[in-house]
Amino acid sequence: MAKEDVVSRVKELAEEYICGRDLEIYNVEYRKEGPEWKLRVYLDKPADCEQEFVNIEECEEVNRYLSEKLDELDLIARQYTIEVSSPGMDRELIHDKDFDRFAGRIVDVKLYEPMNGQKSFEAELVGRTEEDVIQLDLDGERLEIPHKKISKINLAVIF
């Protein structure tokens, strides 16, 4: 089965299982890392949920379910390792809704090309426009950067 098909089918299986629970699928990855294949399922809490973070028990439940279901259906011919986790405190913002949900938070931004001599910086996320422009506040200066010019944008972990 092709990588894209594995990802699609695993998303379907996971969504069936978490239906009615305070969980959603954040991302699914299936890739070769060194000599091994890794299947990673990232769970998240919906924006309107009382709890902001996924707990270890929820990850364990989904991991058990997917492991059993994938063994039963025998969808993946090669040997692989499955990991179920949350996207973490430093999650990458990959979905359009992430930019609304985390507006007001500090983000780490990495650009493909330097802007004002910098390829990476921290700023406050203001939001995202319908034209897919990311709006940021950098020390009181409003920046508007087309999303396609951003290589990666993650929530900053500040202690």
Side-chain angles (χ1 to χ4, degrees), residues 2-95:
K3 284 179 13 173
E4 296 81 16
D5 295 335
V6 168
V7 167
S8 176
R9 190 65 179 112
V10 169
K11 274 184 188 175
E12 288 174 16
L13 291 169
E15 284 173 352
E16 285 173 19
Y17 183 75
I18 65 172
C19 184
R21 295 176 164 87
D22 278 337
L23 290 170
E24 60 186 23
I25 304 302
Y26 177 77
N27 200 14
V28 176
E29 299 173 345
Y30 179 59
R31 69 174 111 201
K32 188 170 183 174
E33 293 182 1
E36 298 180 358
W37 282 86
K38 303 280 185 177
L39 174 61
R40 290 191 178 97
V41 178
Y42 297 94
L43 303 174
D44 202 4
K45 291 290 186 177
D48 61 351
C49 186
E50 285 183 26
Q51 298 171 321
E52 185 175 2
F53 301 106
V54 175
N55 66 48
I56 191 76
E57 290 82 15
E58 291 167 320
C59 292
E60 288 173 352
E61 288 174 19
V62 174
N63 190 315
R64 263 193 302 277
Y65 171 79
L66 287 175
S67 293
E68 290 171 9
K69 201 69 169 167
L70 290 170
D71 285 348
E72 173 188 318
L73 297 173
D74 200 22
L75 295 176
I76 304 172
R78 61 179 55 99
Q79 190 172 1
Y80 64 95
T81 302
I82 185 170
E83 299 172 3
V84 177
S85 67
S86 74
M89 293 183 348
D90 63 343
R91 73 180 60 220
E92 184 175 0
L93 305 183
I94 58 175
H95 304 291

Side-chain angles (χ1 to χ4, degrees), residues 57-158:
E57 290 82 15
E58 291 167 320
C59 292
E60 288 173 352
E61 288 174 19
V62 174
N63 190 315
R64 263 193 302 277
Y65 171 79
L66 287 175
S67 293
E68 290 171 9
K69 201 69 169 167
L70 290 170
D71 285 348
E72 173 188 318
L73 297 173
D74 200 22
L75 295 176
I76 304 172
R78 61 179 55 99
Q79 190 172 1
Y80 64 95
T81 302
I82 185 170
E83 299 172 3
V84 177
S85 67
S86 74
M89 293 183 348
D90 63 343
R91 73 180 60 220
E92 184 175 0
L93 305 183
I94 58 175
H95 304 291
D96 291 346
K97 66 183 180 179
D98 294 340
F99 294 92
D100 294 327
R101 179 178 180 180
F102 297 109
R105 303 273 289 267
I106 303 299
V107 291
D108 291 319
V109 181
K110 292 186 173 50
L111 304 173
Y112 288 111
E113 296 176 1
M115 184 176 84
N116 300 331
Q118 294 182 317
K119 281 185 76 172
S120 63
F121 56 90
E122 277 190 357
E124 180 182 328
L125 176 64
V126 175
R128 178 190 156 278
T129 69
E130 288 183 19
E131 295 79 29
D132 205 21
V133 172
I134 308 305
Q135 300 170 319
L136 304 162
D137 183 315
L138 180 62
D139 300 324
E141 179 186 351
R142 181 72 163 258
L143 301 176
E144 293 195 346
I145 305 171
H147 197 177
K148 65 184 178 189
K149 293 188 175 204
I150 298 174
S151 66
K152 199 170 190 182
I153 184 167
N154 295 67
L155 290 181
V157 178
I158 300 172

